[in-house]
Amino acid sequence: MTPATTPTDSRTPLVELSGVSKHYGNVRALEGVSLEVHGGEITCVLGDNGAGKSTLIKIIAGLHGHDAGTLSLDGEETRLSSPREALDRGIATVYQDLAVVPLMPVWRNFFLGSEPRKGTGPLKRMDVDLMRRTTHAELLRMGIDLRDVDQPIGTLSGGERQCVAIARAVYFGAKVLVLDEPTAALGVKQSGVVLKYVAAARDQGLGVVLITHNPHHAYLVGDRFVLLKRGTMVGNHAHAETTLDDLTRQMAGGSDLDDLRHELERAP
């Protein structure tokens, strides 16, 4: 899971946010946030609860419009009006709840909402054999050896369900993959499995946005790191420009943590 070599800045980003802000009434959710997402690269967005990560996801995914700044796709300034438009433009978002139907088989969830059909007229029906074969082949191509795609997806582990969602996004032609805290509820081993497939998506040329509050996971795979705090950007680093200790310190509060430590120290 070694981060990819950082490409030259002359390439046009797949997604670029410049000075983006979002307010809900008097609440400042984001203020002046900028980031770039390049193909074959993982951009990690780190921050604690309330840092603005969810709002950032919603803007990139087309759920919410931004109030200030610019959003550009492939160098073209745009404003996404819906998640469907974002998906049509090649942006696939995988949320924590994964939006799967637990009792349906893996292959049905893989094609959910995009089922291929065969036949004509009243005989037109879902092409189940094609969906089964394709699901198995695409999972295998991503390195996921799932023997039985007929098993309910709810019987898979959390890490395996995340991997199915990643493989689905790759199959349906995503250019940008946005992952919302994919390792938040997973143990060490399952987190490692998910990060392996996140890196596999990057190696296939996708631009990946990894939202996380875990600097250790981010540093394993990240090429760029954007740190948010209370809606503002407090850091923007390339992998070669920072260390895990630096990321951890900034995530933990930096100088605020030092002040707290002094306050809690016992008198001699």
Side-chain angles (χ1 to χ4, degrees), residues 101-154:
V101 183
L103 296 180
M104 282 186 177
V106 173
W107 63 264
R108 186 68 191 274
N109 276 278
F110 191 92
F111 281 93
L112 195 62
S114 302
E115 295 86 351
R117 299 182 181 275
K118 63 181 179 180
T120 57
L123 297 179
K124 194 172 185 179
R125 61 197 185 281
M126 291 193 303
D127 194 338
V128 175
D129 289 339
L130 175 62
M131 286 190 280
R132 284 194 178 109
R133 292 196 310 271
T134 302
T135 300
H136 184 269
E138 289 302 312
L139 292 178
L140 197 60
R141 191 164 70 91
M142 288 288 291
I144 308 167
D145 188 8
L146 195 63
R147 290 183 297 276
D148 184 12
V149 295
D150 282 300
Q151 67 186 99
I153 199 169

Side-chain angles (χ1 to χ4, degrees), residues 135-209:
T135 300
H136 184 269
E138 289 302 312
L139 292 178
L140 197 60
R141 191 164 70 91
M142 288 288 291
I144 308 167
D145 188 8
L146 195 63
R147 290 183 297 276
D148 184 12
V149 295
D150 282 300
Q151 67 186 99
I153 199 169
T155 63
L156 302 183
S157 68
E160 289 171 329
R161 290 196 297 271
Q162 286 281 355
C163 297
V164 171
I166 293 170
R168 182 184 192 276
V170 172
Y171 173 73
F172 281 102
K175 295 188 295 183
V176 176
L177 181 61
V178 183
L179 299 168
D180 178 20
E181 299 274 10
T183 62
L186 304 179
V188 174
K189 185 175 181 179
Q190 286 295 317
S191 294
V193 170
V194 172
L195 292 175
K196 174 183 174 183
Y197 296 122
V198 171
R202 173 201 63 197
D203 293 342
Q204 292 197 30
L206 275 72
V208 181
V209 181

